Amino acid sequence: MSSKTKIVVLRMKELIYTAVFLGLAVVLITLFLIMFRPRPESAPPSQSAAYIPGVYTSSMTLGGQNLNVEVTVDADQIQSVSFVSLDEAVTTMYPLMQPVMDDLSAQIVQNQSTENLSYALETRYTSQSLIDAIDRALGKAKVRN
């Protein structure tokens, strides 16, 4: 049996360089995997509480008369928007208030927002003042982070 023995000579310097480069490659690959992995989806806004449940009011003054707007909310949606004890004097002096409030209330409950509401051009000032009062009441109801 004749065997040819081969002797391999490794230099320590080459072994150290190879080990360092392999270590750096592993660290680099790990960093790439951490940086570019898919992030877990955050909960959609409808699943997290947007409001503190309750009834919130806001007042507005019309010709010396105080008018209270009431907003009822639960944890994630607006339930209703209405006037609190609408005075007969206010109804007589401002006949558009109740019809405009009914229209805005229906839109707000349907859209769950005071954004992008539609109202007649003739009632724009009444509508805007009511929307401002509703926004103030909703501001009291919002969950603070």
Side-chain angles (χ1 to χ4, degrees), residues 36-47:
F36 297 114
R37 72 171 185 240
R39 302 278 189 253
E41 295 293 324
S42 62
S46 63
Q47 290 181 355

Side-chain angles (χ1 to χ4, degrees), residues 19-77:
V20 167
F21 286 128
L22 283 176
L24 286 175
V26 168
V27 169
L28 188 64
I29 289 172
T30 305
L31 284 175
F32 280 142
L33 290 176
I34 290 172
M35 286 176 48
F36 297 114
R37 72 171 185 240
R39 302 278 189 253
E41 295 293 324
S42 62
S46 63
Q47 290 181 355
S48 61
Y51 302 109
I52 300 169
V55 178
Y56 298 91
T57 60
S58 175
S59 64
M60 54 189 287
T61 305
L62 292 173
Q65 295 283 333
N66 281 337
L67 185 62
N68 291 323
V69 176
E70 179 181 84
V71 178
T72 306
V73 296
D74 63 10
D76 59 348
Q77 63 183 355

Side-chain angles (χ1 to χ4, degrees), residues 5-15 18:
T5 307
K6 293 185 179 181
I7 299 175
V8 178
V9 177
L10 297 176
R11 295 189 177 137
M12 187 58 105
K13 190 180 197 181
E14 292 174 1
L15 284 176
T18 304

